[in-house]
Amino acid sequence: MSAENAYDEVLYESHPFAQTHPNRLATIGQLFGMQPAPLAKCRVLELGCSSGGNIIPLAERFPQSEFVGIDASSRQVAIGQKTVQALNLPNLQLLHEDILKFSPQQGKFDYIIAHGVFSWVPPNVQDAILHICHDHLTPNGIAYISYNTNPGWRLRGMIRDIMTYRARKISNPAEKLRESRALLDFLAESVSTKGNAYGILLADEVNHIRPKQDWYLIHEYLEEVNEPEYFHQFMDRAHLHNLQYLGEADYSTMLASNFPPEVEAMLKKLGTDIIETEQYMDMVRNRLFRQTLLCQSAVTLDRTIPPERIFNMHVASSSEPEGGVQVDPRSWDPVTFKRPGSTLSTKEPLLKAAMLELRAAWPRAIPFMELLSNARGRLHPGTQVIDAERAANDAKNLARPLLRCYATTHVDLHAEPPQVAYLIPEQPAISRLARFQASQPGAVTNLMHEVVQLGDFERQVAKLLDGSRDRAAVIETLTDLVAKKTLVVHEKGKPVADLDQVRVILGKVLEDALPSLARKNLLLPQ
Ligand SMILES: C[S@@+](CC[C@H](N)C(=O)[O-])C[C@H]1O[C@@H](n2cnc3c(N)ncnc32)[C@H](O)[C@@H]1O
């Protein structure tokens, strides 16, 4: 079945992917010495964009930038075009077009994204993707390509082989999936896991597959094409198109120092260049998936990452100090900071003061220089006269550990500050896209380019947040909806008819709903 028919028959749910956001690509580019285009004035191309779940929110966020998304599935593109029309986005072209027929007239792009496409198309389309990345990237442009990798997929591929064998004589996609899922369950139950690597693998993979949604499994496991590659093979092909390795969208995976010291030492011995080191790391991790960033071969990259590289960046972290925010950063006592997935222990007063500042500002990202002066202020609340050299060294002494913290995901770095309101504005507003999505069932896209779920009441409120209403007006509009019986308010399971009482109840629940929408990064700054 051709790609077009397969995706027309079973639609692929279309979402934003935070790791493809040009801000992420620009951050990694800047770390390695590139000068990527500013987000407010750039051109972005997405190949295999499905219904535009990833590119539409970008186009809405950056109205002065230009966006082009292409996909071979007419049905998916038609769905996306309805959203584009509803939002009136003149800076976005969402086209039903084959990658093989991409028009040279489209010109150059600062960012090219191909998420979830490369491994799932035949080799000639893969070559066309690399060709477009080279021909259509600006000299300072960055391309993002995700793909399935070996050795991880050597094992997972066996599960795909079992499923596709079972499904080979069935034409209905839902039945294909039902029958192949049933075969896997049967195998997982019948094959012993005792001292049996095959049984353990089957049990693990069945557990991995069980919670996944049908549309995902149909395209990931039962699609005609799913050709994983070793990283070095992917890079050999990229080199043939005069593209070079910039890095990974997930920067933390690039650092051998995130492995135990003996593994790091061996990896450093084995790898004679970055491609080899990355390849050996994949072997240690049994890696399944990569989100590789490429740039033109002519770009001179500097991988030493001097501390100055983050002086113009913005820093954020939700990290919590053990012992609470009252810890005194001025002492040389060690403090442990924790963030889901990473721990930082430090005695360094400046770093401790900066982490406390970040905690206080979270989720706001602070410009590095502002963070430095706030941290200094915490350490020296009074007057301080110091020589200029020491002041300059402070900046480097803070930037170095923050770079290490970025590598362990303890802090986030952003080339540009995310545009989100952290205090609830007088007349709150959410994006037009999120309002449009809130008026339909399903998740909405937040300002961090993530998928978020809304509760029933949050959804009602979200639909009204166009920036024209303060809290009282939101309560009044909702009360009108109750009066018109479009909305029902229940108290202890019983409907409330008295509108004064309704107003009081709505006022109370709104006090929770607005901060919740803010925490979900949905409120626009004013
Ligand atoms: C697995 S889906 C990924 C969609 C989206 N990028 C994502 O990650 O959610 C692959 C997409 O690539 C599109 N596609 C496959 N072959 C294509 C081609 N030759 N030209 C354009 N789009 C293609 C499919 O229609 C489908 O929407």
Side-chain angles (χ1 to χ4, degrees), residues 262-337:
E262 60 286 3
V263 179
E264 179 189 0
M266 191 59 185
L267 283 168
K268 283 194 173 143
K269 251 195 232 167
L270 286 168
T272 58
D273 60 26
I274 188 161
I275 306 296
E276 282 193 11
T277 306
E278 287 279 332
Q279 182 57 78
Y280 288 119
M281 288 200 286
D282 283 8
M283 291 174 184
V284 177
R285 290 196 177 101
N286 192 30
R287 193 165 184 160
L288 288 150
F289 185 63
R290 270 185 175 268
Q291 302 165 115
T292 292
L293 310 185
L294 301 170
C295 63
Q296 303 284 14
S297 296
V299 174
T300 306
L301 296 175
D302 170 11
R303 296 196 184 275
T304 57
I305 316 191
E308 292 82 357
R309 290 269 159 80
I310 69 165
F311 285 4
N312 289 326
M313 289 196 185
H314 299 255
V315 193
S317 180
S318 58
S319 168
E320 297 269 3
E322 260 178 8
V325 287
Q326 299 81 1
V327 296
D328 182 0
R330 287 172 294 186
S331 78
W332 281 85
D333 293 338
V335 176
T336 299
F337 292 86

Side-chain angles (χ1 to χ4, degrees), residues 3-4 7 12-15 17 46-50 70-73 76 97-100 115-117 120-121 125 219:
E4 171 162 8
Y7 289 93
Y12 201 81
E13 274 188 23
S14 193
H15 295 301
F17 297 98
E46 183 168 5
L47 302 169
C49 66
S50 181
I70 69 162
D71 198 284
S73 155
Q76 293 187 150
E97 193 174 291
D98 198 300
I99 289 166
L100 291 172
H115 179 87
V117 185
W120 301 266
V121 290
V125 184
H219 291 299

Side-chain angles (χ1 to χ4, degrees), residues 474-505:
V474 171
I475 294 169
E476 237 10 79
T477 312
L478 290 170
T479 307
D480 276 355
L481 293 175
V482 175
K484 287 181 189 141
K485 304 208 182 318
T486 310
L487 216 60
V488 186
V489 172
H490 280 143
E491 184 88 312
K492 294 192 178 130
K494 293 198 183 99
V496 181
D498 179 79
L499 291 186
D500 287 336
Q501 209 185 333
V502 163
R503 244 177 233 109
V504 174
I505 295 169

Side-chain angles (χ1 to χ4, degrees), residues 174-467:
E175 196 186 336
K176 273 177 188 247
L177 188 61
R178 200 170 46 247
E179 290 302 321
S180 49
R181 266 187 197 266
L183 175 63
L184 277 188
D185 284 340
F186 159 74
L187 290 172
E189 277 159 26
S190 330
V191 180
S192 164
T193 51
K194 258 206 184 127
N196 180 357
Y198 177 56
I200 295 169
L201 171 74
L202 273 175
D204 270 3
E205 290 296 316
V206 167
N207 283 339
H208 168 79
I209 281 177
R210 237 174 229 146
K212 296 273 185 280
Q213 287 177 287
D214 289 0
W215 58 267
Y216 169 79
L217 291 177
I218 286 172
H219 291 299
E220 185 77 358
Y221 286 85
L222 296 173
E223 203 56 78
E224 206 169 278
V225 183
N226 180 347
E227 287 300 331
E229 277 183 298
Y230 281 94
F231 171 65
H232 70 93
Q233 293 172 321
F234 174 82
M235 280 316 305
D236 283 348
R237 295 174 68 188
H239 290 152
L240 287 177
H241 288 85
N242 282 319
L243 293 162
Q244 66 170 317
Y245 185 59
L246 169 62
E248 291 298 307
D250 184 352
Y251 177 73
S252 68
T253 68
M254 294 183 69
L255 282 107
S257 54
N258 284 342
F259 287 104
E262 60 286 3
V263 179
E264 179 189 0
M266 191 59 185
L267 283 168
K268 283 194 173 143
K269 251 195 232 167
L270 286 168
T272 58
D273 60 26
I274 188 161
I275 306 296
E276 282 193 11
T277 306
E278 287 279 332
Q279 182 57 78
Y280 288 119
M281 288 200 286
D282 283 8
M283 291 174 184
V284 177
R285 290 196 177 101
N286 192 30
R287 193 165 184 160
L288 288 150
F289 185 63
R290 270 185 175 268
Q291 302 165 115
T292 292
L293 310 185
L294 301 170
C295 63
Q296 303 284 14
S297 296
V299 174
T300 306
L301 296 175
D302 170 11
R303 296 196 184 275
T304 57
I305 316 191
E308 292 82 357
R309 290 269 159 80
I310 69 165
F311 285 4
N312 289 326
M313 289 196 185
H314 299 255
V315 193
S317 180
S318 58
S319 168
E320 297 269 3
E322 260 178 8
V325 287
Q326 299 81 1
V327 296
D328 182 0
R330 287 172 294 186
S331 78
W332 281 85
D333 293 338
V335 176
T336 299
F337 292 86
K338 289 202 164 160
R339 192 181 195 191
S342 90
T343 301
L344 163 75
S345 286
T346 180
K347 292 180 180 170
E348 188 45 61
L350 189 60
L351 181 58
K352 286 189 288 189
M355 295 312 297
L356 292 172
E357 278 299 315
L358 291 173
R359 180 67 203 97
W362 175 257
R364 191 167 76 87
I366 314 179
F368 173 80
M369 285 301 175
E370 184 183 321
L371 175 63
L372 175 65
S373 50
N374 292 355
R376 268 202 202 113
R378 258 186 202 255
L379 295 179
H380 311 283
T383 312
Q384 198 200 15
V385 181
I386 51 167
D387 66 60
E389 198 184 324
R390 193 178 139 202
N393 278 343
D394 272 357
K396 289 186 195 164
N397 289 340
L398 179 59
R400 277 193 205 97
L402 286 182
L403 271 165
R404 283 197 294 278
C405 287
Y406 179 57
T408 59
T409 68
H410 207 81
V411 303
D412 311 323
L413 293 176
H414 303 280
E416 297 189 20
Q419 300 295 324
V420 187
Y422 302 115
L423 298 174
I424 300 164
E426 207 42 39
Q427 297 187 176
I430 67 172
S431 72
R432 283 185 301 139
L433 172 64
R435 258 186 290 137
F436 178 74
Q437 291 171 324
S439 65
Q440 303 161 19
V444 303
T445 300
N446 74 6
L447 299 167
M448 301 299 281
H449 211 52
E450 298 160 336
V451 175
V452 287
Q453 303 293 338
L454 295 180
D456 287 345
F457 184 64
E458 284 174 352
R459 191 177 289 279
Q460 297 300 336
V461 175
K463 286 193 275 185
L464 302 178
L465 297 187
D466 58 4

